[in-house]
Amino acid sequence: MAKKEKVVYKEKVNWKKELSLLPGYIIVVVWIGFTAAFLLWIIGASLSTSREIFSGTVLKFESGIHFENYVSAWKSQNVSIFFANSLLYAVVACTGVILISAPAAYVLSRFEFLGNKVMKSGLIVAMSIPSVMIIMPIFSLTTRWNIRGRILLIVLYIFMNVPSTTVYLLNFFATLSKTYEEAAAIDGCPPAKAFWIIMLPLVQPAIVTVTIFNFLGVWNEFFMALIFASSEKMTPVGVGLLQIVNAMKYTGDYGGLFAAVVIVFMPTFLLYIFLSEKIIAGVTGGGIKG
Amino acid sequence: MKKNKAMIVCFILPCLIALAAVYLYPVVRTVLMSFFAIDSVTADMSGWTFYGLGNYSRIFNSSTYRLAMWNMLRIWLVGGIFTLSFALLFAVILTSGIRFKKFFRAAIYLPNVISAVALATMWIQYIYNSDYGMLNRILGAFGLKGVKWLGTDMKFWAMLGAFIFGAVGYYMLIFISGIERIPQDLFEAATIDGANKVQQFVKITLPLLKGIIKTNITFWSVHTTAFFLWSKMFSPIGTESTTIVPVIYLYDTVFGSQGNAARDAGAGAAVGVTLAVIIVLIYAVMNGLLRDDDLEF
């Protein structure tokens, strides 16, 4: 019934109203048109030769479509290594942060104990601490203890996402009814087990949202990677792309450069195409760091 | 209850370790470092010599640091005005009953989701390119001469323009959520009373958005103090005076830059503490401002 009403409503275009909105349409369409035009051009350039790029004939594909740009970016410019590293960092960090944050958020929202309030405020303060305040001691400590390589970045990404993730999940656990645990306790289920098999699945939507944000955050992270990725073997995509740009002067392979750009932005771009509603709702609903 | 105690400890401990390891300990140590003369960031505590406020007076007397602060201020003010105005404009347009609202909203937010390094590369290598770049082509179509966007004169503004383009979507989403919370009957009543769209915006939307505007200014200010990536991308190899910002200055003094082997971790820590103090001040000022008339609706 509701659906039918909607269809009827859609057919009736109120032209007078639309006309009054015209300036708004124009402004938005110009802005988005600009975005679309340059994304399209970048994809076009990634399939063209350097000469076509310089002569300004990118979207005509006069010499055919050059997929070999992707092959050269992937193989000779090390994008495969950067890509694998970023994927590893993002997947492991997203899992690790949930394993730490979900239990903590549950306990903080459910039980009264000494230091509960302090810890909640500590988490909120930690969310606004700028990374310049923490890099130097971490750098000196990890150098002295000889902690480096991929494991260092993974641990950093996990720990640095703990405050925002815990704060986000706190609110969701607080909305769950206590009857779940009471029923579990009556049936003889220990509280820790009740958490993993009953409570955690109940906040699954929140976990999915926060994991999307953590994934985007780790994939796009740049500052920590620039400082702590000490060799090419552990460099993620952001810093890797900077290295490719810096090497451009010597290679001159513009097609390969744009192919690398496309490879780097494609994963989060695709994620966004499928999940934009959820991501947008998460930005305004959850108070996630931007 | 005893069982619960064990569970609480086990569940909270990893989170506590994370907080202590990457926030509590580093922050305390960075604050301490800012009062000591330290060359290498890896120097042991026994190698530190007390320096009082020496690091602070040194950075504030350094012309490079003052330039970095000046650039940050310009980014904050000029960038803030443009970003928040565009964000508010788009938020108002998208909530005015326009079609395809969800698509438009998603498209404007898109630059926030893709890697900023990729985005900056696209701007530098395509839009601002002086041979085949989009902007010079557009200028050429109007018969105008191309501009060297990445030359010394224009680089700062080119960087700021690209940064604003990427940032607008985020602030727009926050404005939209604020506008959507304003009850529709206020606008309906105003329409019946004969108020036009502009009057409604000035008399209803803006006053009721005060809290949201405050939030956005706070976020923008904090966002500006962390400005790093765009500056690094626009001057990737050597730091340039046109694009230097405090975090770049810190990075160069602590980890060294091209052609400058001298390192000074103490001064770097002082820069970090200064930025943290600025953030605290922003929160304090913003919480003090507009506190009393937080409207409930």
Side-chain angles (χ1 to χ4, degrees), chain A residues 9-10 12-14 17-18 20-21 23-25 27-29 31-32 34-35 37-39 41-42 53-58 99-101 103-108 111-113 119 122-123 126-130 132-141 143-144 155-156 158-163 166 190-193 195-196 213 216 219-220 222-223 226-227 237-239 241-242 245-246 248-249 254 257-258 261 264-265 268-269 272 276-277 279-280 283-284 288-290, chain B residues 1 3-4 7-12 14-19 21-31 33 41-45 86 89-90 93-94 96-100 102-119 121-123 125-127 129 131-132 134-135 137-138 164-166 168-170 173-174 177 197 219 222-223 225-226 228-229 232-233 236-237 247 250-251 254-255 265-266 268-276 279 283:
Chain A
Y9 169 75
K10 264 196 172 164
K12 252 197 251 162
V13 178
N14 183 345
K17 183 181 159 233
E18 298 291 322
S20 76
L21 293 173
Y25 277 113
I27 296 169
V28 172
V29 167
W31 182 277
I32 294 172
F34 170 72
T35 316
F38 89 74
L39 284 183
W41 188 91
I42 299 290
I53 293 170
F54 273 93
S55 62
T57 52
V58 158
L99 290 180
I100 294 180
S101 286
Y106 173 69
V107 166
L108 284 171
F111 301 97
E112 281 298 323
F113 55 91
M119 191 144 169
L123 289 167
M127 279 169 68
S128 40
I129 291 175
V132 289
M133 282 298 283
I134 61 174
I135 46 168
M136 282 172 268
I138 295 176
F139 189 85
S140 87
L141 196 70
T143 313
R144 209 146 357 108
V155 170
L156 283 177
I158 291 177
F159 281 7
M160 289 181 71
N161 282 312
V162 160
T166 312
K193 196 176 167 198
F195 166 74
W196 292 109
F213 277 92
L216 293 175
W219 187 271
N220 294 335
F222 181 72
F223 190 55
L226 189 66
I227 292 168
V237 285
V239 178
L241 192 56
L242 175 67
V245 174
N246 287 345
M248 276 304 294
K249 270 194 282 198
Y254 278 82
L257 170 72
F258 288 117
V261 168
V264 169
F265 86 73
T268 51
F269 181 71
Y272 186 62
S276 67
E277 283 301 305
I279 290 173
I280 285 170
V283 173
T284 46
I288 288 265
K289 254 206 297 196
Chain B
M1 198 56 210
K3 239 192 223 161
N4 277 350
M7 184 182 85
I8 289 172
V9 171
C10 290
F11 276 22
I12 213 89
C15 179
L16 205 59
I17 292 171
L19 267 187
V22 301
Y23 290 103
L24 189 61
Y25 163 77
V27 168
V28 171
R29 195 171 153 115
T30 303
V31 173
M33 280 170 84
V41 66
T42 50
D44 199 66
M45 227 163 188
F86 271 119
L89 176 69
F90 288 140
I93 291 173
L94 292 191
S96 66
I98 201 165
R99 278 149 188 281
F100 317 115
K102 281 186 179 165
F103 169 75
F104 287 149
R105 189 178 62 179
I108 295 173
Y109 184 70
L110 170 71
N112 289 272
V113 177
I114 59 184
S115 160
V117 181
L119 202 61
T121 310
M122 294 182 211
W123 277 89
Q125 302 293 338
Y126 172 47
I127 294 173
N129 188 293
D131 295 316
Y132 53 84
M134 184 195 236
L135 279 183
R137 284 272 208 81
I138 294 173
I164 290 169
F165 170 79
V168 164
Y170 175 70
L173 288 188
I174 300 176
S177 79
K197 287 265 175 203
F219 283 179
V222 174
H223 199 160
T225 58
F228 175 79
L229 189 152
K232 189 86 195 155
M233 291 305 293
I237 295 175
V247 183
L250 179 146
Y251 182 81
V254 174
F255 299 102
V271 176
V273 172
T274 311
L275 290 176
I279 292 174
Y283 278 114

Side-chain angles (χ1 to χ4, degrees), chain B residues 234-276:
Chain B
F234 274 75
S235 316
I237 295 175
T239 301
E240 292 168 32
S241 57
T242 46
T243 54
I244 190 170
V245 286
V247 183
I248 293 276
Y249 178 84
L250 179 146
Y251 182 81
D252 285 351
T253 44
V254 174
F255 299 102
S257 57
Q258 207 188 32
N260 178 21
R263 284 163 202 210
D264 189 342
V271 176
V273 172
T274 311
L275 290 176

Side-chain angles (χ1 to χ4, degrees), chain B residues 41-82:
Chain B
V41 66
T42 50
D44 199 66
M45 227 163 188
S46 56
W48 301 5
T49 38
F50 188 69
Y51 200 30
L53 292 171
N55 286 322
Y56 292 92
S57 75
R58 240 205 359 254
I59 57 167
F60 283 108
N61 283 321
S62 141
S63 58
T64 321
Y65 182 69
R66 285 209 300 255
L67 190 64
M69 289 297 267
W70 166 240
N71 282 341
M72 186 176 88
L73 190 71
R74 288 198 292 174
I75 293 168
W76 179 76
L77 188 67
V78 181
I81 290 171
F82 277 98

Side-chain angles (χ1 to χ4, degrees), chain B residues 265-296:
Chain B
V271 176
V273 172
T274 311
L275 290 176
V277 169
I278 290 174
I279 292 174
V280 171
L281 286 177
I282 291 164
Y283 278 114
V285 168
M286 284 305 175
N287 278 331
L289 273 179
L290 304 159
R291 171 159 241 179
D292 301 324
D293 50 322
D294 250 343
L295 292 153
E296 291 283 336

Side-chain angles (χ1 to χ4, degrees), chain A residues 139-280:
Chain A
F139 189 85
S140 87
L141 196 70
T142 50
T143 313
R144 209 146 357 108
W145 289 356
N146 213 9
I147 307 169
R148 54 204 157 107
R150 297 195 181 95
I151 188 74
L152 172 60
L153 270 172
I154 289 174
V155 170
L156 283 177
Y157 286 145
I158 291 177
F159 281 7
M160 289 181 71
N161 282 312
V162 160
S164 57
T165 310
T166 312
V167 169
Y168 186 80
L169 293 178
L170 256 173
N171 303 321
F172 285 88
F173 280 117
T175 59
L176 297 181
S177 161
K178 280 205 166 137
T179 49
Y180 292 110
E181 292 114 309
E182 281 160 13
I186 289 166
D187 290 345
C189 177
K193 196 176 167 198
F195 166 74
W196 292 109
I197 62 172
I198 299 169
M199 304 308 280
L200 197 59
L202 285 172
V203 292
Q204 194 195 355
I207 289 179
V208 171
T209 304
V210 81
T211 298
I212 295 170
F213 277 92
N214 288 339
F215 185 91
L216 293 175
V218 174
W219 187 271
N220 294 335
E221 209 285 328
F222 181 72
F223 190 55
M224 301 308 269
L226 189 66
I227 292 168
F228 291 100
S230 45
S231 83
E232 197 149 77
K233 263 193 223 135
M234 57 189 89
T235 302
V237 285
V239 178
L241 192 56
L242 175 67
Q243 288 171 3
I244 294 175
V245 174
N246 287 345
M248 276 304 294
K249 270 194 282 198
Y250 314 108
T251 56
D253 178 14
Y254 278 82
L257 170 72
F258 288 117
V261 168
V262 173
I263 296 174
V264 169
F265 86 73
M266 212 35 102
T268 51
F269 181 71
L270 289 178
L271 202 67
Y272 186 62
I273 285 181
F274 292 112
L275 299 167
S276 67
E277 283 301 305
K278 210 170 172 70
I279 290 173
I280 285 170

